[in-house]
Amino acid sequence: MQGAAAWGSKPERFRVIPMEEGMTLRNLLVRRLRGLDRDQAANLVKAGGVYVNRLRVRLPMVRMAPGERVTVYRRALEVRALAVNDLSIVYRDPSFMVLDKRSGVPVAPTRSSARGTLTEALIEMLKAEGVERPYVGVLHRLDRGASGLVILTTRGAANASFHRQFLTHEIRRTYRVLVSGEPPEAVRCDAPLLLLQTGGVKIASAGEPSAKPARTRFRRVGVRTHGGQVRVLVEAEIETGRTHQIRAHAAHLGFPVVGDRRYGATSSAARPAVPSDLSAERGLCLHAWRLGFAHPHTGEALELESPLPRWAEPESD
């Protein structure tokens, strides 16, 4: 099998021609894509790396029609499924769960793959428990390279309460973040963010109509030697939950997150142009540490914590 490095991150695209009418998607991929056998083609579809007319298709034997547009991300073949045993459940209720995500694992399907995610592993766990047609709802995201607490619903009845709590900022989210530079003892950032079509965000200019408000509070809590250099450890609390909010705000204030390949560069020109779902921020020092919210059905106040990674603990004097 060819490696992901050889294939690259760009998708391959083509249209079904009249002579390919009725051909299965699996066989079509074998015909059109060099170096792909029937087993690999079927696995690629099952991994969520193939779209037909912008719709992700995971059935290898679906029949094709002339004119349909096919988009293929071969990198999906390199993604391994997340084992059910690798799920770390911090809190479980019949209608939702709080999981402790490890760094490098996506919460939900990415553009290039539906495999290896928390949602897929949770669905497999529910199936193994006898749940028919299990449902998993994603309420908020946590960057692939980040670690820590994330809420997933397993019954739609819990969604309304959680959405209201997110909207009214009643859900309290506290992160431990290791940064470069010299952050002040305490600072708040209200810079609005603009979502980019290529993935990620940027600090919006005044008056940009598509900009979204974003508020992050940072508090310095200590130092930590990391990679042979002394870095500063901060706590970040967010009122809004925008894409890459903490990372973008920290970089904007002059203390980028350690391990951040997207926003850690000193200028936008120096940042790698990498799609958001393929950035693979290995070693991103951002951990969702504490999570506080009201139980969606009983109203009970819940305060949950994730064990701190070693890098997130201040060094003793």
Side-chain angles (χ1 to χ4, degrees), residues 123-174:
I123 286 172
E124 292 303 315
M125 186 190 83
L126 294 172
K127 285 181 180 178
E129 293 177 350
V131 179
E132 295 185 8
R133 297 188 297 275
Y135 164 83
V136 174
V138 178
L139 298 169
H140 63 122
R141 304 279 178 141
L142 192 58
D143 296 344
R144 179 204 296 254
S147 57
L149 301 177
V150 61
I151 308 170
L152 295 171
T153 56
T154 51
R155 291 182 182 171
N159 289 338
S161 174
F162 278 122
H163 285 314
R164 179 188 58 77
Q165 291 185 64
F166 276 110
L167 185 64
T168 57
H169 314 307
E170 296 175 59
I171 292 184
R172 298 169 301 285
R173 289 169 283 176
T174 305

Side-chain angles (χ1 to χ4, degrees), residues 50-253:
V50 181
Y51 293 76
V52 178
N53 298 332
R54 299 187 177 182
L55 177 67
R56 173 175 270 147
V57 176
R58 302 188 72 178
L59 299 174
M61 304 310 290
V62 68
R63 300 285 176 174
M64 306 304 297
E68 289 183 314
R69 183 177 177 85
V70 180
T71 303
V72 181
Y73 291 87
R74 292 208 204 194
R75 290 185 68 130
L77 282 173
E78 300 296 319
V79 181
R80 295 183 178 181
L82 179 66
V84 170
N85 291 340
D86 288 336
L87 291 176
S88 178
I89 300 174
V90 177
Y91 184 92
R92 181 168 187 177
D93 180 88
S95 62
F96 71 95
M97 295 188 197
V98 177
L99 303 181
D100 194 352
K101 185 185 89 68
R102 70 168 186 258
S103 176
V105 176
V107 172
T110 67
R111 184 183 310 161
S112 63
S113 176
R115 184 174 284 168
T117 65
L118 285 186
T119 54
E120 183 184 58
L122 185 52
I123 286 172
E124 292 303 315
M125 186 190 83
L126 294 172
K127 285 181 180 178
E129 293 177 350
V131 179
E132 295 185 8
R133 297 188 297 275
Y135 164 83
V136 174
V138 178
L139 298 169
H140 63 122
R141 304 279 178 141
L142 192 58
D143 296 344
R144 179 204 296 254
S147 57
L149 301 177
V150 61
I151 308 170
L152 295 171
T153 56
T154 51
R155 291 182 182 171
N159 289 338
S161 174
F162 278 122
H163 285 314
R164 179 188 58 77
Q165 291 185 64
F166 276 110
L167 185 64
T168 57
H169 314 307
E170 296 175 59
I171 292 184
R172 298 169 301 285
R173 289 169 283 176
T174 305
Y175 299 74
R176 278 289 173 93
V177 191
L178 196 65
V179 302
S180 304
E182 286 293 330
E185 289 298 320
V187 64
R188 171 174 164 160
C189 185
D190 294 319
L193 298 175
L194 185 66
L195 190 64
L196 302 175
Q197 291 185 348
T198 54
V201 297
K202 72 171 186 176
I203 302 298
S205 302
E208 287 194 72
S210 299
K212 301 294 184 181
R215 292 178 292 278
T216 311
R217 293 190 300 274
F218 296 96
R219 182 176 68 88
R220 185 169 174 150
V221 296
V223 296
R224 182 86 206 182
T225 301
H226 183 85
Q229 295 180 301
V230 176
R231 305 297 193 186
V232 179
L233 191 62
V234 301
E235 271 186 11
E237 293 187 7
I238 60 174
E239 294 181 23
T240 55
R242 307 301 178 194
T243 298
H244 298 174
Q245 176 177 321
I246 293 174
R247 297 162 59 186
H249 275 176
H252 176 64
L253 294 176

